[in-house]
Amino acid sequence: MQKLAFFFPGQGSQAVGMGRDLAEKFPVAKHTFAEADEALGYKISDLCFNGPEDKLRLTEVTQPAILTVSVAAFRVLQEKSVAPAMVAGHSLGEYSAHVAAGTLSFSDAVRTVRNRGRYMQEAVPVGVGAMAAILGMPTDAVAEVCREAGQGEVCQPANVNSPEQIVISGNKEAVERAAELAKQRGAKRAVMLQVSAPFHCALMSPAEERLSADLERLAFHDPKVPVITNIDGLAKESAAGSRDALVRQVTGAVQWVKCMQTLIAGGASGFVEVGPGKVLCGLMRQIDRSQSCVNVEDETSLDKTLAKLAEQAQPAADSLL
């Protein structure tokens, strides 16, 4: 029997038009957007379907928008009797994973990530922080570059996305120094990113504090399937552990490579990226090319995924005969 792992995308996967096809073709997806509109008190559905792009890029809009599209896609898969044995999500995507696992209600999650986006944006004045992607440099070497470039300012790995791609975050000048130093030390590339705030570093402490208070007030349940969390790449199976991991990921690095290694070690026989884009399937190719990864963001990708999963399940079924 197939042991599927679902993973859910984070910020950066948004695109105008996302989710529209699902909402038009599947009543459960349409209902998901209506639920989000009601929970937020404005039409996030309209921003997903029609933009404008500059508004969709605002962190406090992007986060609930991606969560909503991801949950809509997940619910469509559920209706097709495709269920995960384990789940994970990249940064914001961890909330989508918890909705899928039954840890959090969708309406609580969508309101929380709107606030999370706002808190992250307000934690650091515009222009004070920055992020950069370091390509083709080992994790230890990137961490060393950050230490040297810090010079009393914040500079740390923020996303360990793959062996080829590590994103760093912190004070703008320190991140610029680190990017330059990485290039000098043999990184293939070091690229400053167009982001609105320095996510997943110590500068996000004010956001972590505010979000922690919000999460304390929410009803958390033990996940129905293990949720592999960003902060340590380990499975969480309790309400308390899930809440704690969501708090700590605001200032902690996204340990995406560890998350994927944990899913693979746990026996995952296929991966489905659930939500807009294919960023996480791309990272999986860099982490372990032998793994099969498909995505679901509209009817076309859904049909392809269902066909692929049926094809993969057939040899397993034949072997039982």
Side-chain angles (χ1 to χ4, degrees):
M1 192 172 155
Q2 267 182 308
K3 195 172 184 182
L4 292 177
F6 284 9
F7 45 47
F8 298 87
Q11 202 159 331
S13 290
Q14 70 276 6
V16 172
M18 64 181 184
R20 187 198 292 125
D21 187 61
L22 289 174
E24 287 173 353
K25 306 280 175 55
F26 302 98
V28 70
K30 185 179 180 181
H31 173 74
T32 302
F33 281 98
E35 205 181 327
D37 291 347
E38 189 178 339
L40 294 169
Y42 72 91
K43 285 206 172 290
I44 190 91
S45 56
D46 188 50
L47 288 171
C48 289
F49 303 160
N50 305 309
E53 191 180 341
D54 59 343
K55 187 140 190 207
L56 193 59
R57 273 206 309 264
L58 296 172
T59 300
E60 68 179 85
V61 173
T62 310
Q63 296 202 19
I66 290 174
L67 175 91
T68 301
V69 177
S70 299
V71 172
F74 168 73
R75 288 174 171 176
V76 171
L77 279 165
Q78 247 186 336
E79 277 200 337
K80 303 288 181 186
S81 302
V82 181
M86 300 171 278
V87 293
H90 192 284
S91 189
L92 147 77
E94 195 165 301
Y95 286 81
S96 308
H98 278 300
V99 174
T103 324
L104 277 173
S105 75
F106 173 53
S107 54
D108 277 350
V110 83
R111 282 190 293 264
T112 301
V113 299
R114 173 193 57 196
N115 292 344
R116 177 181 184 265
R118 186 181 299 153
Y119 300 159
M120 289 169 125
Q121 193 59 65
E122 291 173 355
V124 181
V126 174
V128 169
M131 299 180 80
I134 311 296
L135 308 180
M137 191 175 209
T139 309
D140 291 351
V142 173
E144 180 57 35
V145 159
C146 287
R147 272 193 295 275
E148 287 185 37
Q151 298 176 18
E153 292 184 309
V154 172
C155 185
Q156 62 193 84
N159 304 73
V160 184
N161 285 333
S162 78
E164 290 293 305
Q165 186 195 114
I166 296 163
V167 175
I168 63 174
S169 183
N171 290 102
K172 186 169 182 282
E173 290 78 8
V175 171
E176 287 171 344
R177 285 193 296 270
E180 202 46 51
L181 200 51
K183 281 190 264 196
Q184 289 169 19
R185 300 221 178 137
K188 281 184 196 164
R189 287 178 73 204
V191 186
M192 297 300 291
L193 300 178
Q194 295 298 311
V195 292
S196 55
F199 303 124
H200 298 291
C201 75
L203 294 176
M204 287 287 115
S205 291
E208 185 177 285
E209 235 171 86
R210 294 169 77 185
L211 186 67
S212 177
D214 286 0
L215 291 172
E216 277 302 321
R217 288 192 288 270
L218 294 188
F220 273 73
H221 307 280
D222 292 344
K224 294 188 180 86
V225 295
V227 180
I228 316 305
T229 57
N230 290 186
I231 192 67
D232 51 17
L234 300 176
K236 300 293 178 285
E237 300 188 45
S238 73
S242 299
R243 181 190 277 116
D244 177 61
L246 286 174
V247 171
R248 291 194 294 140
Q249 62 141 248
V250 179
T251 55
V254 175
Q255 299 291 346
W256 193 247
V257 174
K258 284 184 184 171
C259 289
M260 295 303 97
Q261 289 168 340
T262 298
L263 290 171
I264 294 163
S269 56
F271 293 84
V272 185
E273 181 167 2
V274 184
K278 300 179 188 174
V279 169
L280 302 180
C281 283
L283 293 179
M284 179 55 91
R285 280 194 293 278
Q286 295 176 22
I287 294 166
D288 186 343
R289 290 195 76 85
S290 71
Q291 299 302 322
S292 160
C293 186
V294 289
N295 78 301
V296 174
E297 59 180 333
D298 54 20
E299 189 180 35
T300 303
S301 55
L302 172 72
D303 289 344
K304 278 186 191 165
T305 289
L306 293 175
K308 181 86 170 167
L309 295 177
E311 189 187 302
Q312 287 170 350
Q314 197 52 48
D318 290 346
S319 69
L320 297 173
L321 297 176

